[in-house]
Amino acid sequence: MKDHERQPAGPARLSLFRSLWYRSRSEARDDAEAGRSITMPMRIGVPPLQQVLRRLAMGLLVLAVTTLIVYADRDGYHDNSGGGITLLDAAYYATVTLSTTGYGDITPVSDTARLVNILVITPLRVMFLIILVGTTLEVLTERTRQQVRVHRWRARTSDHVVVVGYGTKGRHAVETLVGQGIAKDRIVIVDAQRKSALAAGDDGLVSVTGDATRSETLLKAEVQNASRVIVAPQRDDTAALVTLTARQLNRRATIVVAAREDENVPLLKQSGADTVITSSSSAGRLLGVSMVSPTVARTLEDLMTLGNGLDLIERPVSKAEVGAAPRSCADLVVAVVRGKELLDYADPRLTRLQWGDRVITVSRAVPVPEQA
């Protein structure tokens, strides 16, 4: 399936700036609610000791800059103990000033020194206090930062993939999508279990915790802007309700559903599924093939596992292949998608490849690079 292009980042960036300046009551409520159910991938943080040392270094830098400013204008200061202002006096004044102790034994007396205190020393004092209480401020602003991250993600998310259910089927579906070149930030997980949502976050995926049969949960996953939806819950009745809800919210998305029983396939297609994969019958067929020919079963498993030996992939026909016979391609062509019709390799109409065809080939697997 052809990958969709990303939307321009300009509107999303403007929306983020607007949200930092002004948000209506309904927008603030939506972001706060989304922040409680949307799990963003964890960022690699700086170790606590490094944070403390970094803040200490910043505080000492501010202190040194203030000392140099005071010493450079030492003629504008008066020391009650008498004598001129030395470098030590300047460091002492900077220390008591930045810490807001202010003994008053050294004071600015000239207009220049007082102006520098207003315009330079006071901002440095505020910066110094922020550095000192940085850990507290970081905790207090964590919720705001989370809401900003969620708002920014919701504003720029479009043409992504929504995966409902992060169990065994959902995890392998995500692995295949990533192997096909889809970035992790374009995959959103929806699962009712908080544990599964956190596991998806640990895997670098955005996840939404909630009941996927409810419209409000799928709206948090921006399903209305998604290009593809994979429905892989544990029960077929849940799959039917999720499919109905997703199709109601998004008429254009491709919906693929995993079902347990063959008898539920027609119901799921009526609910809006484009493709239904029956896990029990597929497993039964593979068991039968394994009994008759274990090597054939291993080959099938190899073809279905991306990046392992042989890959079964769909790709557009290249310019050099247009007009050539399918057998002359470098990869083994097993079928061709022409328009809305699927032609297998033995079809008599499949004599020459045409522009716009998509070929399904068996090719040697290419190692998939790991994403950060």
Side-chain angles (χ1 to χ4, degrees):
M1 183 177 295
K2 192 172 183 179
D3 204 4
H4 293 265
E5 297 292 334
R6 285 182 178 268
Q7 297 294 321
R13 199 173 288 118
L14 291 176
S15 176
L16 175 61
F17 291 152
R18 187 183 71 83
S19 70
L20 293 174
W21 177 257
Y22 168 77
R23 280 189 297 177
S24 65
R25 182 175 299 179
S26 60
E27 289 176 333
R29 184 176 60 251
D30 291 343
D31 286 344
E33 177 63 26
R36 285 190 287 268
S37 57
I38 296 178
T39 302
M40 304 295 292
M42 294 296 295
R43 294 176 176 176
I44 300 176
V46 180
L49 182 58
Q50 291 187 21
Q51 293 185 22
V52 172
L53 293 177
R54 184 173 61 183
R55 290 194 177 101
L56 178 61
M58 293 173 63
L60 293 176
L61 177 62
V62 172
L63 179 61
V65 170
T66 307
T67 301
L68 293 176
I69 292 175
V70 173
Y71 185 71
D73 192 27
R74 56 188 177 275
D75 294 336
Y77 290 82
H78 174 70
D79 188 355
N80 293 335
S81 63
I85 302 297
T86 64
L87 183 61
L88 179 60
D89 295 331
Y92 168 75
Y93 174 79
T95 302
V96 299
T97 300
L98 293 179
S99 63
T100 68
T101 305
Y103 293 116
D105 48 352
I106 298 178
T107 57
V109 292
S110 69
D111 293 340
T112 302
R114 290 177 177 178
L115 186 62
V116 169
N117 265 261
I118 295 172
L119 300 179
V120 180
I121 303 298
T122 298
L124 288 174
R125 180 187 301 120
V126 175
M127 184 184 301
F128 188 78
L129 293 176
I130 290 176
I131 293 172
L132 290 180
V133 297
T135 303
T136 304
L137 290 176
E138 185 174 353
V139 173
L140 292 176
T141 58
E142 181 62 30
R143 180 176 299 178
T144 301
R145 290 195 301 176
Q146 171 69 5
Q147 291 186 8
V148 170
R149 288 187 68 196
V150 169
H151 182 87
R152 181 175 59 182
W153 171 80
R154 296 177 69 186
R156 69 183 183 183
T157 299
S158 180
D159 287 337
H160 56 293
V161 183
V162 176
V163 180
V164 179
Y166 201 58
T168 302
K169 291 176 288 187
R171 289 174 184 269
H172 283 85
V174 170
E175 289 178 3
T176 303
L177 291 173
V178 174
Q180 292 282 5
I182 298 179
K184 287 186 176 182
D185 60 2
R186 298 190 61 197
I187 302 175
V188 182
I189 304 299
V190 180
D191 200 291
Q193 301 294 327
R194 181 66 176 171
K195 182 178 179 180
S196 299
L198 292 176
D202 293 338
D203 293 337
L205 304 167
V206 176
S207 61
V208 177
T209 305
D211 184 1
T213 62
R214 301 177 63 87
S215 298
E216 59 184 19
T217 301
L218 293 181
L219 287 174
K220 292 174 185 176
E222 297 294 320
V223 75
Q224 70 275 15
N225 297 321
S227 61
R228 283 159 281 186
V229 180
I230 297 176
V231 182
Q234 299 297 324
R235 296 167 55 92
D236 286 358
D237 53 352
T238 303
L241 289 174
V242 173
T243 304
L244 278 169
T245 307
R247 181 56 72 195
Q248 182 183 17
L249 297 173
N250 191 328
R251 297 290 181 182
R252 65 178 180 86
T254 301
I255 300 180
V256 180
V257 184
R260 288 180 174 271
E261 303 296 336
D262 288 332
E263 61 183 13
N264 295 323
V265 173
L267 176 62
L268 290 167
K269 289 190 174 181
Q270 291 176 7
S271 300
D274 296 288
T275 305
V276 180
I277 307 297
T278 310
S279 57
S280 58
S281 60
S282 299
R285 295 188 191 100
L286 190 58
L287 286 172
V289 172
S290 300
M291 179 60 66
V292 176
S293 177
T295 54
V296 173
R298 286 198 298 269
T299 303
L300 289 175
E301 182 69 20
D302 188 9
L303 290 173
M304 291 188 295
T305 305
L306 194 68
N308 183 24
L310 297 175
D311 282 345
L312 186 64
I313 61 173
E314 177 183 345
R315 61 171 177 82
V317 64
S318 66
K319 185 177 180 180
E321 294 170 340
V322 175
R327 296 180 182 273
S328 64
C329 295
D331 300 331
L332 177 62
V333 177
V334 296
V336 175
V337 181
R338 181 166 294 167
K340 295 184 178 180
E341 193 174 5
L342 179 63
L343 307 176
D344 62 55
Y345 75 98
D347 195 302
R349 295 171 293 174
L350 194 59
T351 57
R352 292 289 184 269
L353 294 174
Q354 302 177 7
W355 186 258
D357 287 346
R358 297 186 65 84
V359 293
I360 300 176
T361 67
V362 177
S363 60
R364 180 64 59 182
V366 177
V368 180
E370 295 185 359
Q371 297 190 9

